Short mmCIF file of all heavy atoms in Angstrom, two decimals:
data_model
loop_
_atom_site.label_atom_id
_atom_site.label_comp_id
_atom_site.label_asym_id
_atom_site.label_seq_id
_atom_site.Cartn_x
_atom_site.Cartn_y
_atom_site.Cartn_z
N SER A 1 103.82 119.04 73.14
CA SER A 1 102.82 117.89 73.45
C SER A 1 102.60 118.00 75.02
O SER A 1 103.27 118.71 75.75
CB SER A 1 103.31 116.52 73.03
OG SER A 1 104.24 116.08 74.00
N ASN A 2 101.74 117.05 75.45
CA ASN A 2 101.47 116.96 76.89
C ASN A 2 101.95 115.59 77.36
O ASN A 2 101.53 115.14 78.42
CB ASN A 2 100.04 117.13 77.22
CG ASN A 2 99.79 117.65 78.60
OD1 ASN A 2 100.62 118.38 79.17
ND2 ASN A 2 98.71 117.06 79.23
N GLY A 3 102.63 114.87 76.49
CA GLY A 3 103.05 113.50 76.82
C GLY A 3 103.96 113.38 77.93
O GLY A 3 104.80 114.32 78.19
N ARG A 4 104.01 112.26 78.69
CA ARG A 4 104.90 112.10 79.80
C ARG A 4 106.29 111.75 79.19
O ARG A 4 106.37 110.72 78.30
CB ARG A 4 104.31 111.04 80.69
CG ARG A 4 102.98 111.56 81.28
CD ARG A 4 102.46 110.46 82.30
NE ARG A 4 101.00 110.71 82.48
CZ ARG A 4 100.08 109.94 82.08
NH1 ARG A 4 100.31 108.89 81.42
NH2 ARG A 4 98.84 110.32 82.35
N VAL A 5 107.33 112.15 79.85
CA VAL A 5 108.59 111.96 79.29
C VAL A 5 109.50 111.27 80.46
O VAL A 5 109.39 111.65 81.63
CB VAL A 5 109.38 113.30 78.89
CG1 VAL A 5 110.86 113.04 78.50
CG2 VAL A 5 108.62 113.85 77.79
N MET A 6 110.28 110.18 80.08
CA MET A 6 111.13 109.57 81.01
C MET A 6 112.53 109.92 80.57
O MET A 6 113.00 109.48 79.44
CB MET A 6 110.98 108.05 81.05
CG MET A 6 111.94 107.31 81.93
SD MET A 6 111.78 107.81 83.65
CE MET A 6 110.24 106.94 84.14
N LEU A 7 113.31 110.62 81.32
CA LEU A 7 114.74 111.03 81.08
C LEU A 7 115.59 110.04 81.71
O LEU A 7 115.63 109.95 82.98
CB LEU A 7 115.05 112.40 81.41
CG LEU A 7 114.19 113.51 80.74
CD1 LEU A 7 114.16 114.83 81.55
CD2 LEU A 7 114.57 113.68 79.32
N SER A 8 116.50 109.38 81.08
CA SER A 8 117.36 108.38 81.70
C SER A 8 118.83 108.85 81.38
O SER A 8 119.09 109.47 80.32
CB SER A 8 117.28 106.99 81.18
OG SER A 8 117.42 106.91 79.72
N GLY A 9 119.74 108.47 82.23
CA GLY A 9 121.13 108.90 82.01
C GLY A 9 121.92 108.88 83.36
O GLY A 9 121.32 108.86 84.46
N PRO A 10 123.16 109.04 83.35
CA PRO A 10 123.97 108.90 84.51
C PRO A 10 123.70 110.13 85.39
O PRO A 10 123.38 111.26 84.95
CB PRO A 10 125.47 108.83 84.04
CG PRO A 10 125.46 109.45 82.78
CD PRO A 10 123.99 108.99 82.16
N ALA A 11 124.14 110.16 86.67
CA ALA A 11 124.04 111.23 87.59
C ALA A 11 124.87 112.35 87.15
O ALA A 11 126.02 112.19 86.76
CB ALA A 11 124.45 110.86 89.00
N GLY A 12 124.22 113.66 87.24
CA GLY A 12 125.05 114.84 86.87
C GLY A 12 125.08 115.16 85.33
O GLY A 12 125.69 116.10 84.87
N ALA A 13 124.36 114.29 84.52
CA ALA A 13 124.42 114.46 83.14
C ALA A 13 123.57 115.73 82.52
O ALA A 13 123.71 116.16 81.39
CB ALA A 13 124.05 113.20 82.36
N GLY A 14 122.55 116.12 83.46
CA GLY A 14 121.74 117.24 83.12
C GLY A 14 120.27 116.89 82.89
O GLY A 14 119.68 117.56 82.05
N LYS A 15 119.88 115.85 83.43
CA LYS A 15 118.50 115.42 83.22
C LYS A 15 117.47 116.49 83.77
O LYS A 15 116.43 116.74 83.08
CB LYS A 15 118.16 114.07 83.93
CG LYS A 15 118.99 112.92 83.42
CD LYS A 15 118.62 111.62 84.05
CE LYS A 15 119.06 111.52 85.46
NZ LYS A 15 120.51 111.62 85.71
N GLU A 16 117.69 117.16 84.92
CA GLU A 16 116.77 118.19 85.34
C GLU A 16 116.84 119.38 84.48
O GLU A 16 115.62 119.93 84.22
CB GLU A 16 117.15 118.57 86.83
CG GLU A 16 116.11 119.67 87.39
CD GLU A 16 116.38 119.96 88.80
OE1 GLU A 16 117.05 119.12 89.50
OE2 GLU A 16 115.85 121.08 89.21
N ILE A 17 117.99 119.81 83.98
CA ILE A 17 118.04 120.83 83.04
C ILE A 17 117.11 120.59 81.76
O ILE A 17 116.49 121.41 81.18
CB ILE A 17 119.44 121.21 82.60
CG1 ILE A 17 120.15 121.80 83.86
CG2 ILE A 17 119.51 122.12 81.43
CD1 ILE A 17 121.58 122.12 83.68
N ALA A 18 117.23 119.31 81.32
CA ALA A 18 116.45 118.85 80.14
C ALA A 18 115.03 118.95 80.42
O ALA A 18 114.16 119.36 79.62
CB ALA A 18 116.76 117.38 79.70
N ALA A 19 114.64 118.59 81.65
CA ALA A 19 113.23 118.65 82.09
C ALA A 19 112.66 120.11 82.12
O ALA A 19 111.56 120.48 81.69
CB ALA A 19 113.02 118.02 83.38
N ARG A 20 113.60 121.00 82.60
CA ARG A 20 113.22 122.50 82.68
C ARG A 20 113.15 122.98 81.40
O ARG A 20 112.34 123.99 81.06
CB ARG A 20 114.23 123.15 83.47
CG ARG A 20 114.14 122.74 84.98
CD ARG A 20 115.07 123.62 85.91
NE ARG A 20 115.11 123.21 87.29
CZ ARG A 20 114.18 123.71 88.24
NH1 ARG A 20 113.15 124.46 87.86
NH2 ARG A 20 114.36 123.21 89.38
N TYR A 21 113.98 122.52 80.42
CA TYR A 21 113.92 123.06 79.05
C TYR A 21 112.64 122.70 78.41
O TYR A 21 111.95 123.45 77.68
CB TYR A 21 115.15 122.38 78.20
CG TYR A 21 115.06 122.76 76.73
CD1 TYR A 21 115.80 123.91 76.27
CD2 TYR A 21 114.57 121.96 75.84
CE1 TYR A 21 115.78 124.24 75.02
CE2 TYR A 21 114.54 122.36 74.48
CZ TYR A 21 115.18 123.48 74.00
OH TYR A 21 115.16 123.85 72.77
N ILE A 22 112.16 121.41 78.62
CA ILE A 22 110.90 121.09 78.12
C ILE A 22 109.70 121.95 78.55
O ILE A 22 108.86 122.49 77.85
CB ILE A 22 110.58 119.51 78.47
CG1 ILE A 22 111.53 118.64 77.82
CG2 ILE A 22 109.09 119.27 78.14
CD1 ILE A 22 111.41 117.21 78.19
N HIS A 23 109.86 122.25 79.96
CA HIS A 23 108.75 123.12 80.55
C HIS A 23 108.76 124.49 80.07
O HIS A 23 107.78 125.12 79.66
CB HIS A 23 108.91 123.06 82.09
CG HIS A 23 108.16 124.14 82.85
ND1 HIS A 23 108.80 125.19 83.37
CD2 HIS A 23 106.81 124.13 83.08
CE1 HIS A 23 107.78 125.89 83.87
NE2 HIS A 23 106.77 125.34 83.80
N ALA A 24 110.07 125.11 79.93
CA ALA A 24 110.22 126.53 79.54
C ALA A 24 109.73 126.69 78.01
O ALA A 24 109.42 127.82 77.76
CB ALA A 24 111.71 126.92 79.69
N HIS A 25 109.69 125.60 77.21
CA HIS A 25 109.42 125.86 75.87
C HIS A 25 108.06 125.12 75.54
O HIS A 25 107.76 124.95 74.40
CB HIS A 25 110.52 125.26 74.95
CG HIS A 25 111.79 125.98 75.03
ND1 HIS A 25 112.66 125.76 76.02
CD2 HIS A 25 112.22 126.88 74.15
CE1 HIS A 25 113.68 126.55 75.85
NE2 HIS A 25 113.47 127.33 74.80
N SER A 26 107.23 124.91 76.58
CA SER A 26 105.99 124.19 76.38
C SER A 26 104.79 125.23 76.64
O SER A 26 105.13 126.34 77.07
CB SER A 26 105.79 123.08 77.38
OG SER A 26 105.64 123.53 78.56
N PRO A 27 103.62 125.01 76.27
CA PRO A 27 102.49 125.83 76.55
C PRO A 27 102.26 126.04 78.11
O PRO A 27 101.50 126.86 78.49
CB PRO A 27 101.32 124.99 76.01
CG PRO A 27 101.81 124.17 74.92
CD PRO A 27 103.19 123.72 75.45
N ARG A 28 102.90 125.25 78.93
CA ARG A 28 102.73 125.32 80.45
C ARG A 28 103.87 126.17 80.97
O ARG A 28 104.12 126.19 82.20
CB ARG A 28 102.77 123.91 81.00
CG ARG A 28 101.64 123.08 80.62
CD ARG A 28 101.84 121.60 81.22
NE ARG A 28 100.63 120.89 80.92
CZ ARG A 28 99.65 120.59 81.73
NH1 ARG A 28 99.69 121.19 82.88
NH2 ARG A 28 98.62 119.95 81.32
N ALA A 29 104.68 126.93 80.14
CA ALA A 29 105.79 127.75 80.60
C ALA A 29 105.43 128.71 81.76
O ALA A 29 106.27 128.98 82.59
CB ALA A 29 106.48 128.50 79.42
N ASP A 30 104.25 129.21 81.66
CA ASP A 30 103.80 130.16 82.71
C ASP A 30 103.29 129.53 83.92
O ASP A 30 103.05 130.15 85.00
CB ASP A 30 102.70 130.99 82.20
CG ASP A 30 103.23 131.97 81.04
OD1 ASP A 30 104.37 132.29 81.06
OD2 ASP A 30 102.37 132.40 80.14
N GLY A 31 103.27 128.14 83.99
CA GLY A 31 102.65 127.48 85.09
C GLY A 31 104.03 127.06 85.90
O GLY A 31 105.00 127.26 85.53
#
C-alpha cells in the first residue's frame, strides 16, 4: 500500500530496519 505507517517501540528495537523492510518490499523499492 501507500499508507503512512507509525512505528513505535523502545530505542534500539529495530524500528528503522522495519521501515527499510517496508520500503524494500514496496513498489517504491527502486526509489
Side-chain angles (χ1 to χ4, degrees):
S1 76
N2 203 37
R4 302 184 194 106
V5 178
M6 175 67 73
L7 300 165
S8 61
K15 297 185 291 297
E16 183 174 338
I17 292 178
R20 292 185 183 277
Y21 178 87
I22 294 172
H23 170 251
H25 294 80
S26 74
R28 296 175 178 263
D30 292 333

